[in-house]
Amino acid sequence: VSASNLTCSSDTLFEVVQVISPEGIIALVTGAVETPSFHPVDSDSIEFTDAGTGLQSLELSDELGGYTIELFESNSYFYDAAKALDVPADNGITTLDILLAQAHILGNQPFDNGYAAIAADANASGSVSTLDLLWMQQIILQLASDVPGVESWEFVPELNPFIDVNEALQFQGPSLIPS
């Protein structure tokens, strides 16, 4: 694990701090999970998997979105963040989201924010289309609880500026922290 700041999500920021213990050099990975509007996200699972051994370390974020995980610094790790499906499933999705996505599709008001484009791509197809509008409508009306095969939360590095909205839609989450 290298000592650097990375962000993995709607805004998962983590920092690596080196600690020397009897077991060897340990990296304390600390961070906080927040929405793009800086609201803490609790009960988010942060998982690090040792790339060599496959051993997993899992931590849930607390009510302020914070977490700390101990890892051996000399190893490389895959990391993942996940959030259980919200109940009700429409938590955060509104008819305004549908209107904004529709304005983007029609070219009347294109997204200028890569995070908004990722959120509007409900079916994770890599583009915002009328099918995404239909999925959002289904979720708001509680005719569907999720989009099959798509995570309800997308974790994207906060430090990625997404200069181009189309670049944001092609984003594939980071997963390996080299030693």
Side-chain angles (χ1 to χ4, degrees):
V1 174
S2 60
S4 63
N5 289 335
L6 297 175
T7 302
C8 104
S9 172
S10 299
D11 298 310
T12 308
L13 175 66
F14 61 86
E15 180 176 17
V16 179
V17 179
Q18 186 182 77
V19 176
I20 299 176
S21 74
E23 295 86 28
I25 298 176
I26 292 184
L28 291 178
V29 180
T30 63
V33 184
E34 300 175 329
T35 67
S37 55
F38 306 107
H39 296 287
V41 178
D42 66 343
S43 302
D44 180 63
S45 65
I46 310 297
E47 181 178 80
F48 286 81
T49 304
D50 187 304
T53 65
L55 292 175
Q56 296 178 333
S57 298
L58 177 70
E59 183 71 27
L60 293 178
S61 60
D62 61 25
E63 64 277 355
L64 298 176
Y67 64 90
T68 299
I69 298 178
E70 292 184 4
L71 304 173
F72 287 101
E73 186 178 37
S74 61
N75 299 357
S76 294
Y77 292 87
F78 292 98
Y79 67 93
D80 190 23
K83 175 78 172 141
L85 184 64
D86 288 318
V87 178
D90 67 346
N91 184 15
I93 300 175
T94 67
T95 53
L96 178 60
D97 296 317
I98 293 175
L99 293 173
L100 292 172
Q102 184 179 30
H104 172 79
I105 292 167
L106 295 173
N108 296 336
Q109 188 177 355
F111 291 127
D112 60 0
N113 176 329
Y115 299 110
I118 291 170
D121 184 14
N123 64 356
S125 66
S127 66
V128 180
S129 68
T130 54
L131 188 54
D132 296 308
L133 302 179
L134 291 173
W135 277 115
M136 284 188 257
Q137 183 181 37
Q138 295 270 319
I139 290 170
I140 289 171
L141 295 174
Q142 298 182 355
L143 299 174
S145 61
D146 64 352
V147 179
V150 178
E151 295 292 328
S152 62
W153 285 70
E154 181 69 36
F155 291 86
V156 180
E158 178 184 49
L159 300 177
N160 190 335
F162 291 129
I163 296 168
D164 181 345
V165 170
N166 290 323
E167 173 190 351
L169 288 168
Q170 303 309 313
F171 175 77
Q172 297 295 316
S175 64
L176 178 66
I177 304 173
S179 58

